[in-house]
Amino acid sequence: MKRGMRLALGLLASAAVAAMTACGSGSAGEADRTEAGTTGRMEAEETETAASAGETPEEEEGRSPSGSGNETEDRTLTVAVFEDTGALNPYTGESPAYALDWVYEGLTAMEDGVPVPELARAWEISEDGLTYTFHLRPDVKFSDGSSFTAENAKRNMDLVLGHKEYYPYLPSLTAVGSVEAADEATLTVHLTAPAPSLLNDLAGSYPFGMMGDEGFTAGDDVYQSAGAAAEPGEEHGFSTLGTGMWKLKTYVEGEYSVFERNEDYWGEKPGFRYLKTVVFSSAEEAAEAMRAGETDVMVDSERITPELFKELQDAGFQTAQAPSSSVSVLNLNTAGPVTRDRAVRLALEYAADREEISETVYQGLQEPADSYFSWRVPGTDVGIAPYPRDLEEAGRLLEEAGWVYGEGESVRSKNGQKLELSLVYDASIAGNSQVGEHLKAQYEAVGIQLDLVPQETPDWNESWRTGQFDLLLSRTWGIPYEPYGSFFCMASPGDKFYLVQSGMSGKQELDVIMKDTLGQNDGERMKEDMAYIMERLHHEAVYVPLTAVADLAVYREGLSGPDMNSARGGLGIGSMRPLEP
């Protein structure tokens, strides 16, 4: 059962996966929960593809796209999306994470930041942390009716483990020695060193979403299918054959996709027979389609502005919201010519007003954040309070560092150099430009000139990777990739996450401790490591936490809303049902 923060994963991973590829060199049933890093036990069809245009099942049978036909069983839920579903290859991660979630499932899922059973109904971890024994659900079938077995799970895992270079942000992969199918329903993973992130890394549909044996084409490499259309065939090496609640039926590149309910699904089946995704270029365009009755629901964390959200709410649409496990943060380049000075970074901390940004830019939909990691990320909330807004203290720090006002000047200077900094941000994310304007005004109040640099996503990523910024606005990955995936990248020389911290005091010692968490099997030692990491990042003023990213949903009347906490089936729409007969 998918629970907890799966909605956040589905929304954020679509954007995060592209960012994660830069990590490295840059080129349960009900039972007691077992936290990562501890020893314990946890209980727990054929595809029709169109290249350009084609008829959906609803159009063939005379039903409206939004499902107003006579038979509830044949209804279609139409979802506004902003990305093409693409190849639906669970290994390359080119498709949106929520679309992969509809088709594929992993051994584990995440609930409140903790791994819980999914395709594995239970597991045991040996006392030394080197052996994980997974007991698979006996009733799981792929969408072609074939059974999910330990041999199949091993095949999928071995495939990923043979391409570790694709996933530098999954630190447990380096510790996996072998995978063994002990019997049809028992899978054993043998490690060469403890890997507390393993259960997190196995969660979800990417890259450990399980594909049926018939989904592989003999002799072909599924990793060569990147960018290919979502269809079976020898030239692509795979077909979309998973255990999820939906299976792909029709795909029209750049326009729409139609998924059909997987009648062999082991869990509670969707309330709609078909799921249709329609691609829009903006939230405003999607809103117009909703007003016209052409779509039923949209869920997003990046494109729906608070103004549009409330406008649709006032127009009679139903709405829902939920905080994610991602945080909007300001990265301070500790190796920058000016921001290498800790006093300047501290002044930036004290001068920022996260409450104003929360209320004015996001109208309260995104709450002020206290730390780089969300409090929902287990182990990272160690009781450190954020820097309060204190303009007097910010001014004092700058004065002592030699940044003073010249006569009649509103911008401080030092040795003839103005205190002028650049703020680089991704212009495609709703609210980023307004956040930039507010920060500009807040920093001007203490004599700092802030130059705003909006960029398209590829250019923004490149600026981050090459260190061409003083301040950079980003969003953290959230669960399940935090904290371990972040620690791995932060401690990897050449990585953009490493670059942000590279000029801070004590960086070498910090890297040692972050790497220690990746192989730590001692719970008390893990707590000590976490406390040290969070204290050092706070003391060195590396990040200014701004707001907790929120997931927003808008849907028409006559439907039960998406489950913003359970998120069964990606985007939380797997639980949606028609309310009228």
Side-chain angles (χ1 to χ4, degrees):
M1 183 178 294
K2 297 183 179 69
R3 307 175 192 164
M5 303 311 298
R6 289 298 298 278
L7 177 57
L9 171 61
L11 290 172
L12 296 169
S14 302
V17 164
M20 290 179 211
T21 58
C23 180
S25 64
S27 23
E30 299 298 330
D32 295 337
R33 298 174 185 171
T34 303
E35 293 193 7
T38 63
T39 301
R41 176 184 177 92
M42 174 64 78
E43 297 289 353
E45 176 120 90
E46 288 190 6
T47 302
E48 169 196 349
T49 304
S52 55
E55 289 188 328
T56 68
E58 315 91 273
E59 294 165 335
E60 292 171 356
E61 300 181 30
R63 294 185 295 274
S64 69
S66 59
S68 58
N70 294 326
E71 297 183 19
T72 301
E73 276 295 301
D74 288 340
R75 290 188 175 182
T76 297
L77 181 69
T78 304
V79 185
V81 298
F82 307 100
E83 301 169 273
D84 187 72
T85 55
L88 289 176
N89 186 330
Y91 309 107
T92 62
E94 289 190 316
S95 294
Y98 57 78
L100 294 175
D101 269 349
W102 290 333
V103 177
Y104 307 102
E105 298 173 305
L107 295 179
T108 66
M110 301 298 292
E111 178 181 1
D112 299 329
V114 178
V116 296
E118 185 76 319
L119 293 182
R121 62 176 177 79
W123 59 78
E124 296 101 37
I125 307 173
S126 64
E127 190 169 345
D128 59 6
L130 298 181
T131 304
Y132 286 64
T133 303
F134 294 92
H135 304 283
L136 308 184
R137 295 186 185 276
D139 54 347
V140 177
K141 294 183 180 298
F142 290 98
S143 56
D144 66 346
S146 62
S147 295
F148 169 64
T149 66
E151 281 291 346
N152 171 267
K154 171 178 166 58
R155 178 176 184 173
N156 278 269
M157 291 190 67
D158 284 345
L159 180 63
V160 173
L161 293 169
H163 295 79
K164 295 178 183 179
E165 68 276 12
Y166 280 70
Y167 318 106
Y169 50 88
L170 300 180
S172 68
L173 270 59
T174 61
V176 177
S178 63
V179 179
E180 173 192 359
D183 57 44
E184 190 173 82
T186 307
L187 184 77
T188 305
V189 179
H190 301 282
L191 307 182
T192 58
S197 67
L198 178 63
L199 296 176
N200 289 46
D201 295 346
L202 291 175
S205 56
Y206 170 73
F208 286 109
M210 297 296 160
M211 181 185 289
D213 290 334
E214 293 301 318
F216 298 92
T217 300
D220 285 305
D221 183 357
V222 297
Y223 285 84
Q224 299 305 313
S225 63
E231 62 178 350
E234 294 184 1
E235 69 273 27
H236 302 314
F238 78 102
S239 66
T240 56
L241 182 57
T243 64
M245 59 176 62
W246 302 98
K247 55 184 178 181
L248 183 66
K249 183 173 180 63
T250 306
Y251 171 69
V252 180
E253 185 174 2
E255 297 183 29
Y256 68 85
S257 297
V258 177
F259 296 80
E260 185 175 4
R261 182 172 57 209
N262 178 10
E263 300 299 345
D264 289 313
Y265 183 57
W266 60 272
E268 183 179 0
K269 295 179 178 60
F272 293 85
R273 182 175 178 184
Y274 299 108
L275 171 67
K276 179 180 180 181
T277 64
V278 181
V279 181
F280 293 94
S281 61
S282 68
E284 289 72 21
E285 183 184 13
E288 286 302 313
M290 292 194 71
R291 293 187 185 99
E294 297 169 358
T295 58
D296 300 316
V297 59
M298 64 173 168
V299 186
D300 194 69
S301 65
E302 294 187 351
R303 299 167 184 83
I304 304 174
T305 65
E307 293 78 13
L308 181 60
F309 184 75
K310 293 186 180 294
E311 177 186 324
L312 292 172
Q313 193 175 53
D314 292 341
F317 287 95
Q318 306 300 302
T319 59
Q321 66 187 81
S324 74
S325 59
S326 175
V327 174
S328 175
V329 297
L330 201 57
N331 299 261
L332 309 184
N333 189 348
T334 62
V338 176
T339 49
R340 69 173 62 247
D341 186 344
R342 176 173 174 267
V344 173
R345 300 199 303 272
L346 282 171
L348 292 168
E349 295 273 10
Y350 281 112
D353 190 342
R354 56 182 60 83
E355 284 78 12
E356 179 186 79
I357 291 173
S358 169
E359 289 300 323
T360 306
V361 176
Y362 297 111
Q363 300 183 27
L365 294 175
Q366 291 196 16
E367 298 178 352
D370 293 340
S371 173
Y372 178 89
F373 294 112
S374 165
W375 60 268
R376 294 171 177 81
V377 178
T380 60
D381 185 357
V382 297
I384 300 176
Y387 290 98
R389 189 164 199 242
D390 189 333
L391 299 183
E392 183 176 338
E393 179 64 8
R396 184 190 68 78
L397 286 162
L398 293 173
E399 290 280 345
E400 289 186 356
W403 295 98
V404 298
Y405 288 111
E407 186 176 352
E409 296 291 334
S410 60
V411 178
R412 296 175 184 269
S413 60
K414 179 180 180 179
N415 300 327
Q417 178 187 357
K418 282 189 173 183
L419 184 46
E420 182 178 2
L421 303 173
S422 65
L423 169 57
V424 175
Y425 64 87
D426 186 341
S428 70
I429 297 179
N432 273 3
S433 61
Q434 295 95 317
V435 170
E437 292 293 344
H438 279 270
L439 288 170
K440 180 180 177 71
Q442 291 167 13
Y443 289 145
E444 284 178 351
V446 294
I448 300 173
Q449 179 178 325
L450 195 63
D451 300 327
L452 304 183
V453 186
Q455 295 182 336
E456 295 302 312
T457 303
D459 295 329
W460 168 79
N461 259 316
E462 182 65 12
S463 294
W464 189 354
R465 188 186 68 81
T466 57
Q468 300 302 304
F469 67 92
D470 297 312
L471 286 66
L472 182 137
L473 188 61
S474 70
R475 291 181 169 191
T476 63
W477 291 341
I479 296 167
Y481 304 110
E482 290 178 342
Y484 305 109
S486 295
F487 289 164
F488 182 88
C489 293
M490 289 173 178
S492 298
D495 186 78
K496 62 184 183 183
F497 287 86
Y498 179 94
L499 184 149
V500 174
Q501 301 175 5
S502 62
M504 64 176 280
S505 175
K507 174 58 174 167
Q508 186 174 359
E509 294 81 1
L510 179 64
D511 289 349
V512 170
I513 299 301
M514 287 194 289
K515 290 177 180 178
D516 186 63
T517 68
L518 305 181
Q520 191 51 252
N521 194 47
D522 185 320
E524 288 304 313
R525 176 71 173 273
M526 179 70 81
K527 290 180 182 179
E528 294 174 6
D529 285 353
M530 289 289 192
Y532 179 88
I533 293 168
M534 300 310 296
E535 191 281 329
R536 291 306 302 166
L537 294 178
H538 176 79
H539 178 268
E540 287 296 310
V542 181
Y543 307 101
V544 180
L546 297 175
T547 57
V549 176
D551 303 319
L552 304 178
V554 181
Y555 57 100
R556 67 171 177 83
E557 288 187 314
L559 297 174
S560 65
D563 191 333
M564 303 293 279
N565 292 314
S566 292
R568 294 190 66 197
L571 297 186
I573 65 173
S575 62
M576 295 186 72
R577 298 285 189 275
L579 298 180
E580 71 272 17

